[in-house]
Amino acid sequence: MLPKMPKPLLEINGLKKYFDVKGGVFGRKVGEVKAVDDVSFTVMEGEILGIVGESGCGKSTTGKSILRLIEPSDGEVKFEDQDITHLDPEEMRKLRRDMQIIFQDPYASLNPRHTVEKIVGEPLLVHGMTSSEDRKKRVKELLEVVGLSGYHASRYPHQFSGGQRQRIGIARALANNPKLIICDEPVSALDVSVQSQILNLMQELREEFHLTYVFIAHDLSVVKHISDRVGVMYLGRMVELTDKDKLYEDPKHPYTQALLSAVPTPDPDEVRERVILEGDVPSPSNPPTGCAFHTRCPRAMDICKEVRPQFEEVEDNHFVACHLYT
Amino acid sequence: MSDVVLELKDLHTHFFTDSGEVPAVDGVSLTVHKGEVVGVVGESGCGKSVTSLSVMQLVPNPPGKIVDGEINFKDENLVHASKKRMKEIRGNEIAMIFQEPMTSLDPLFTIGNQLIEGLRLHEKISKKEARNRSIELLKLVGIPRADQVVDEYPHQLSGGMRQRVMIAMSMACNPELLIADEPTTALDVTIQAQILDLMRNLNKEKETAIMLITHDLGVVAEICDRVVVMYAGKVIEEGTTREILKSPNHPYTKGLIRSLPNMKQKEQKLYSIPGTVPKPKMGRVGCRFAPRCEFAFERCFQEDPELFQLENNRSSRCFLNDETEGDVTKNAETTIRN
């Protein structure tokens, strides 16, 4: 392990989330959607781990299962060496002081009937700051930390722009000095010029408060910019995980290669070998046998159709799930 | 030039709301030539979608109204075209694809029904012929098992497939101009690559002019020949894709390009334009970008800059290009270099 990142803050082992599909006259279970299917990774203290993938690959479900906002079906989530999957709701509630989340849609994640003071102050109240004077002071502090002003506290969400609302969401997440923040597509709903403001803010906050982020996004250039390590997900499985430079310079998995080549770059001179994938992502309710990617993979072999590849370390700190490397 | 397909001249589309008049499109001029792909770029609220809807006369009226300007489609001013004439043009000579393929297809009709309807509206062909044409069109846009998909409903298809159907529908009558309003925004990157590839091929083979509305400069670099950058209801810069992306002139375009996270560079901190996009309102004085512009000087707040013509058919709406402002321009250039 690298010396500056001494211990893991979060360990995920074999995380699974299957959603039941109900159907028929009696609403019996007729199938399962394997949203997250055996995902394992570790997040070090102070690190930013990016998770990328296309829609439906299970990246958001993974994020929410870590906080147990969605109850995982199987597997282990260890936060500071404590398995949190079996904690009772009360213990979990206390623990969420240290684990927070920022959502994608700043329009849907703030209660339109509450003032900013109530929105940001609520987590403080829940975690025991009963004096309303103290709360007011802390809310003001928080708003200034995220680049808003104290007088914004008495306003309602509709009076803010998208970027400002996302700042309020960040202030709410920071309220109780968390250790880990799950960021679920925090900048996808924002315009480019505002997106860069929020990304910069998140980086500053990380340094100031020694935060650890799990940064979920579908935009590969955003993830590359902010993360230390990046994991790529496809159809509920982690297919590749390594340092961001390694991933972008030497992608191993054919899916990662295709994904990277598909990103349009605003550079008219760039000549690239483009891999345009055929077809769509298969349905997670009926995933292909063996390697989930074999139906679209340009380099698929016979073994890929039958045996699911193991997620293994093929080089130092470079994990890949692909038969090409075993 | 004679090969101009679409020419907008000083187009003003305003919305008359309870809280006053909103100039969403405030004097936009642009041209699209035959076989050309023109990108219209800007952030949300800059008026790019309203511009495209104005061309098709699809702006809901009331509250929206084209109050001034011309929309010349092959020597015909569409602003004064009758409803009947617009019906002939829509889908036949100018076609449009929208951002959200699910909401632009009718969930109650099969793909075939919807394609046949458009075909038979504009061309005198039998149902059977129209059906065969539909299957051909679906094959053209790369839909596998086209003969079965014809009889399927929109909900049975994935997002990428639906967008392909939309493209097939828009190409049905070989339009001369295709307006694509954020056609790939709702799609994943690998599907986006497929759709852009398809649009590029159609543009090459059929010489259809495309006006592509997007906020993604990456998409622009992939497919467009020329770019028009919009800000707060006005065109602020225009030029070839290469020149705009390589050497932007307007401070806004510069800022926009610099604030993109780059996959190559390893900068710790991103550049960001301070502030947010202003809301359009009547009677605004001065350059709209001035409050956020790092090079703004006094004149920017007092006068509205014109569109300065630069070499190579480029233009930029910024006083820094005014030669009478010698000192300011030089100072700004040194700032950029540093």
Side-chain angles (χ1 to χ4, degrees):
Chain A
M1 286 297 150
L2 295 170
K4 62 177 176 182
M5 296 173 189
K7 68 177 206 238
L9 182 69
L10 184 72
E11 271 179 87
I12 316 285
N13 283 320
L15 185 72
K16 285 179 189 168
K17 177 64 201 177
Y18 297 167
F19 291 102
D20 292 346
V21 179
K22 297 208 167 93
V25 186
F26 302 107
R28 276 201 209 118
K29 183 175 155 185
V30 292
E32 277 174 338
V33 172
K34 298 183 174 177
V36 180
D37 195 8
D38 203 356
V39 165
S40 310
F41 59 90
T42 345
V43 186
M44 300 296 163
E45 218 169 286
E47 174 183 55
I48 302 183
L49 177 80
I51 299 181
V52 280
E54 297 181 280
S55 43
C57 73
K59 53 192 193 303
S60 286
T61 310
T62 307
K64 287 182 182 152
S65 305
I66 294 172
L67 288 181
R68 283 179 64 198
L69 296 176
I70 293 175
E71 211 54 59
S73 310
D74 195 13
E76 193 182 47
V77 178
K78 272 167 120 181
F79 182 73
E80 294 188 304
D81 296 326
Q82 183 191 12
D83 185 0
I84 62 166
T85 41
H86 301 295
L87 291 182
D88 64 46
E90 181 55 26
E91 286 170 309
M92 199 57 218
R93 192 176 68 75
K94 283 189 184 139
L95 198 75
R96 289 213 182 97
R97 180 196 274 259
D98 293 331
M99 309 165 82
Q100 284 292 327
I101 185 162
I102 304 170
F103 295 98
Q104 168 172 4
D105 191 346
Y107 292 82
S109 56
L110 303 177
N111 189 333
R113 287 164 188 256
H114 287 179
T115 59
V116 170
E117 186 176 317
K118 183 142 195 225
I119 291 170
V120 180
E122 187 127 35
L124 295 168
L125 179 67
V126 168
H127 290 288
M129 193 185 273
T130 43
S131 145
S132 73
E133 276 302 304
D134 290 355
R135 280 209 307 273
K136 252 193 189 130
K137 226 176 102 203
R138 175 80 180 131
V139 167
K140 214 174 150 199
E141 251 176 51
L142 284 163
L143 289 177
E144 274 157 21
V145 163
V146 298
L148 296 170
S149 305
Y151 65 82
H152 283 132
S154 55
R155 295 196 181 168
Y156 288 89
H158 74 264
Q159 294 171 293
F160 296 91
S161 68
Q164 286 175 317
R165 285 183 214 206
Q166 202 55 291
R167 287 176 195 265
I168 297 169
I170 294 173
R172 174 175 61 185
L174 287 175
N176 283 306
N177 292 319
K179 292 177 182 146
L180 173 76
I181 300 183
I182 313 275
C183 315
D184 189 359
E185 305 252 17
V187 294
S188 338
L190 306 176
D191 272 319
V192 183
S193 68
V194 180
Q195 170 179 304
S196 60
Q197 293 171 3
I198 299 293
L199 287 176
N200 283 340
L201 172 69
M202 292 183 67
Q203 270 180 327
E204 284 161 23
L205 294 175
R206 171 226 196 172
E207 273 151 40
E208 203 176 328
F209 300 105
H210 309 288
L211 297 169
T212 306
Y213 293 142
V214 174
F215 194 96
I216 299 165
H218 67 273
D219 187 327
L220 285 132
S221 40
V222 166
V223 168
K224 154 104 196 218
H225 175 78
I226 200 162
S227 312
D228 297 311
R229 284 190 306 146
V230 178
V232 182
M233 283 186 75
Y234 184 78
L235 218 62
R237 302 167 189 190
M238 190 73 91
V239 295
E240 188 158 359
L241 174 68
T242 185
D243 292 344
K244 70 165 171 193
D245 293 332
K246 261 195 196 166
L247 185 85
Y248 285 80
E249 275 153 30
D250 178 28
K252 298 256 186 247
H253 199 282
Y255 176 64
T256 318
Q257 292 165 359
L259 198 62
L260 285 173
S261 86
V263 181
T265 48
D267 183 353
D269 283 343
E270 204 188 67
V271 191
R272 280 175 304 165
E273 207 180 311
R274 294 190 56 138
V275 191
I276 293 187
L277 288 178
E278 302 275 313
D280 285 312
V281 182
S283 158
S285 60
N286 186 18
T289 53
C291 172
F293 186 57
H294 85 253
T295 50
R296 299 170 81 196
C297 182
R299 297 168 71 184
M301 303 173 290
D302 284 343
I303 184 175
C304 303
K305 290 177 188 138
E306 283 142 31
V307 187
R308 177 171 171 176
Q310 291 293 311
F311 190 57
E312 284 171 342
E313 193 165 8
V314 293
E315 270 172 28
D316 189 31
N317 231 333
H318 197 151
F319 295 84
V320 183
C322 181
H323 287 302
L324 289 170
Y325 303 98
T326 46
Chain B
M1 269 189 276
S2 57
D3 63 344
V4 172
V5 177
L6 180 76
E7 186 186 26
L8 303 186
K9 267 192 193 160
D10 199 30
L11 181 74
H12 287 263
T13 306
H14 292 193
F15 287 89
F16 297 87
T17 64
D18 291 344
S19 46
E21 194 175 342
V22 181
V25 176
D26 200 4
V28 166
S29 304
L30 61 91
T31 45
V32 182
H33 300 268
K34 193 173 166 47
E36 190 182 38
V37 186
V38 175
V40 180
V41 194
E43 296 181 284
S44 36
C46 74
K48 53 191 196 301
S49 286
V50 178
T51 306
S52 64
L53 290 174
S54 302
V55 174
M56 294 290 261
Q57 306 268 312
L58 287 174
V59 178
N61 179 13
K65 195 169 185 292
I66 299 174
V67 291
D68 197 11
E70 290 174 30
I71 300 169
N72 294 322
F73 176 66
K74 298 193 302 179
D75 310 322
E76 188 182 355
N77 189 349
L78 297 186
V79 175
H80 304 303
S82 65
K83 276 196 174 151
K84 190 165 166 253
R85 176 71 188 127
M86 276 320 293
K87 265 192 183 162
E88 279 168 29
I89 291 174
R90 275 188 219 125
N92 195 15
E93 289 163 62
I94 309 180
M96 190 159 181
I97 12 180
F98 298 92
Q99 172 172 353
E100 188 44 74
M102 190 63 215
T103 47
S104 27
L105 290 169
D106 193 324
L108 296 178
F109 290 91
T110 61
I111 303 298
N113 273 335
Q114 302 188 43
L115 276 164
I116 291 164
E117 186 195 357
L119 278 167
R120 293 200 42 175
L121 202 65
H122 295 294
E123 283 171 44
K124 284 198 173 115
I125 49 173
S126 73
K127 270 192 184 163
K128 197 155 183 228
E129 250 176 277
R131 191 187 149 88
N132 289 340
R133 275 278 296 283
S134 307
I135 296 174
E136 262 170 53
L137 282 165
L138 291 176
K139 278 185 187 152
L140 181 79
V141 296
I143 289 186
R145 22 173 225 107
D147 43 344
Q148 289 165 37
V149 170
V150 172
D151 297 319
E152 281 178 11
Y153 288 88
H155 75 265
Q156 290 170 288
L157 303 177
S158 66
M161 283 297 155
R162 282 182 211 138
Q163 201 58 289
R164 279 170 195 268
V165 170
M166 281 305 295
I167 293 175
M169 211 179 269
S170 64
M171 298 311 291
C173 297
N174 286 324
E176 279 170 72
L177 175 67
L178 176 67
I179 301 176
D181 189 355
E182 306 256 12
T184 57
T185 308
L187 307 174
D188 283 316
V189 271
T190 56
I191 310 297
Q192 168 172 291
Q194 293 172 1
I195 297 290
L196 289 179
D197 209 40
L198 172 68
M199 285 177 55
R200 204 183 297 118
N201 289 341
L202 289 175
N203 166 256
K204 289 251 162 63
E205 281 167 26
K206 307 213 165 198
E207 287 220 313
T208 315
I210 300 180
M211 181 168 143
L212 180 80
I213 318 283
T214 181
H215 69 276
D216 189 334
L217 289 164
V219 170
V220 167
E222 289 284 308
I223 185 166
C224 295
D225 303 314
R226 226 149 43 77
V227 189
V228 174
V229 185
M230 284 184 68
Y231 186 77
K234 273 195 185 314
V235 173
I236 54 138
E237 185 163 6
E238 200 186 335
T240 61
T241 305
R242 207 190 145 72
E243 278 177 348
I244 296 269
L245 294 177
K246 281 277 163 189
S247 56
N249 179 287
H250 197 284
Y252 173 64
T253 322
K254 278 180 188 152
L256 207 59
I257 293 171
R258 273 175 72 194
S259 56
L260 285 176
N262 192 320
M263 293 223 286
K264 294 254 174 55
Q265 281 160 9
K266 288 176 193 168
E267 282 168 10
Q268 258 313 298
K269 211 168 148 70
L270 280 174
Y271 175 81
S272 64
I273 309 175
T276 48
V277 184
K279 289 213 173 76
K281 67 171 185 234
M282 297 299 286
R284 201 185 283 275
V285 186
C287 172
R288 275 128 218 257
F289 187 60
R292 299 174 76 189
C293 181
E294 52 182 312
F295 310 114
F297 50 99
E298 238 180 294
R299 195 176 164 197
C300 302
F301 293 96
Q302 291 156 355
E303 273 179 66
D304 208 353
E306 57 185 297
L307 206 55
F308 289 93
Q309 296 299 323
L310 312 173
E311 75 274 24
N312 299 336
N313 276 333
R314 281 186 73 176
S315 51
S316 171
R317 196 182 287 279
C318 181
F319 281 129
L320 292 179
N321 296 302
D322 191 351
E323 275 154 25
T324 55
E325 298 284 352
D327 285 353
V328 185
T329 324
K330 235 173 259 163
N331 288 345
E333 266 168 21
T334 35
T335 326
I336 297 168
R337 254 179 238 130
N338 299 338

